[in-house]
Every structure is written in C-alpha cells, then in structure tokens.
Amino acid sequence: MATALLWAVGAHAAVVGGNDVNCRMAPRTNATVVGTLRRGEDVAVVSTEGAWTRVDPPRLAACWVRSDLLV
C-alpha cells in the first residue's frame, strides 16, 4: 500500500545494485542501520540528499542508502 501511495505522488523505482546494502535511519555512514537490502530488490525512491537516497522498500520502513548502490 505504501508503495502505491508513493507512485501516486511521483516517486520512481530503483533496484538495489549492491550486496547486503545497509538501510539507515539518516543519510550518513554512522547512522543506525535499520535493515539490509539485497541485490536486485526493488525500492521506491522517495527523495535524495547529496550522495544519499531515501527509499521505501517493500519489507522495511522508509530508510536511507548511498545513491551509488542503486541502479
């Protein structure tokens, strides 16, 4: 349901391009890790901030990953 809402407001899709990518509470390397994303997993892009992208993965709450780990 959350993904459908994001699509409605203009979010776009991305695919995780790295192995075991940390999903963090904030856009920085020392932020708390709230989960791990797997290579090939689809996510909805919510926003970007510098080198970080806020994503909404299907099985976690929205979190931040390094943008270079998405394709």
Side-chain angles (χ1 to χ4, degrees):
M1 181 73 168
T3 302
L5 178 60
L6 288 169
W7 281 106
V9 295
H12 65 276
V15 177
V16 177
N19 292 318
D20 300 322
V21 173
N22 287 328
C23 205
R24 298 179 180 275
M25 289 184 81
R28 56 186 187 274
T29 56
N30 63 348
T32 302
V33 175
V34 295
T36 304
L37 303 175
R38 295 178 184 92
R39 179 183 295 276
E41 191 170 344
D42 294 321
V43 295
V45 173
V46 178
S47 63
T48 58
E49 184 176 312
W52 292 84
T53 299
R54 186 174 172 107
V55 298
D56 187 12
R59 57 185 177 77
L60 296 170
C63 55
W64 293 89
V65 298
R66 281 193 0 235
S67 298
D68 62 337
L69 296 173
L70 300 172
V71 293

